[in-house]
Amino acid sequence: MYLLPAIDILDGKAVRLAKGDYSRVTRYNDDPVEQALRFEEAGATWVHIVDLDGARTGVSSNAAIIERIVASTSLKAQVGGGVRSLEAIERLISAGASRVVLGTALVRDPGFAAAAVDRYGDALAAGIDAKGGEAAVSGWEEGSGVSAHELARSMADSGYGHLVYTDISRDGMRTGLDPEAYRSMAAAFGRPVVASGGVAGMDDIRAMLGLGDAIEGVIAGRALYEGSLDLAEACREIAQYGKER
């Protein structure tokens, strides 16, 4: 398991939304690159970057910032938000992204989703953001009418090897993760998942470690920015767990 500190980019700034609500924005750093450097210094090896402008509009507008983050750090970048064409995937991979997350397109354009994984394979992840068991689309502003578990099974059948699952009701709220939700999603997907949504502190990291092979990674955002989770401590504990297994 590894930890992915999150950088959500809106209007060029590092921010967090509460429950995916664009009207509830907290700005944490005017320079996302500087924020990434802080995460690297604390021991992170991955960073999770979301282009919130792209997620809402379908047009990725922050590729240059992503490119600067990759060029300025040794972090592996997992990037999502508004990725709805092969050209957008190619642009992000060319910018240095190690993994590109597809979200809305999984539901709205399954043909594209299938073509993308055929071409890019392990460089892609299915991003399923759900509320009340229903997958959400368009920057979480709309329901899809599709069950999150059903979508996960479909993505596994299509060849996706990575899945990022976000519990929208908890995201950005520091209310704690629901371990059973991620265990259930991993069972539906048939592979480990990356957990996102509500990390409050070290207890959540330990709970995810306790799920063993069901969890590939954990994304943390507001808890890191507001100090309830110490990134260096979390990275050390995860590394120690890996050595002891």
Side-chain angles (χ1 to χ4, degrees), residues 5 47 73 82 86 101 122 130 151 156 158 170 177 200 214:
V47 62
T73 72
L86 294 177
V101 184
D122 202 52
L151 184 57
S158 295
R170 294 171 181 260
L177 295 173

Side-chain angles (χ1 to χ4, degrees), residues 6 8 16-22 24 48 50-52 54-58 80-82 84 101-104 108 127-131 134-144 164-173 182 195-198 219 222:
D8 291 359
R16 294 297 285 170
L17 307 182
K19 296 185 181 181
D21 187 342
Y22 280 78
R24 300 170 67 187
H48 178 73
V50 179
D51 181 346
L52 290 174
R56 181 161 55 176
T57 66
R84 299 171 197 174
V101 184
L102 305 187
T104 294
R108 293 277 174 81
I128 299 180
D129 310 320
K131 185 174 183 179
E134 178 186 9
V137 295
S138 299
W140 300 355
E141 294 186 319
E142 301 175 28
S144 67
V164 179
Y165 179 58
T166 303
D167 182 346
I168 295 173
S169 66
R170 294 171 181 260
D171 191 74
M173 301 304 293
Y182 298 100
S196 173
I219 296 169
R222 191 179 293 268

Side-chain angles (χ1 to χ4, degrees), residues 152-153 156 160-161 163 183-193 213:
R153 285 189 284 270
Y160 283 81
L163 188 151
R183 189 197 309 273
S184 176
M185 183 56 67
F189 187 53
R191 297 173 177 84
V193 301
D213 292 338

Side-chain angles (χ1 to χ4, degrees), residues 82-97:
V83 185
R84 299 171 197 174
S85 70
L86 294 177
E87 291 76 16
I89 296 171
E90 187 64 39
R91 185 163 58 250
L92 290 171
I93 290 176
S94 296

Side-chain angles (χ1 to χ4, degrees), residues 222-234:
R222 191 179 293 268
L224 295 174
Y225 290 105
E226 299 190 355
S228 63
L229 177 66
D230 183 277
L231 179 57
E233 178 188 4

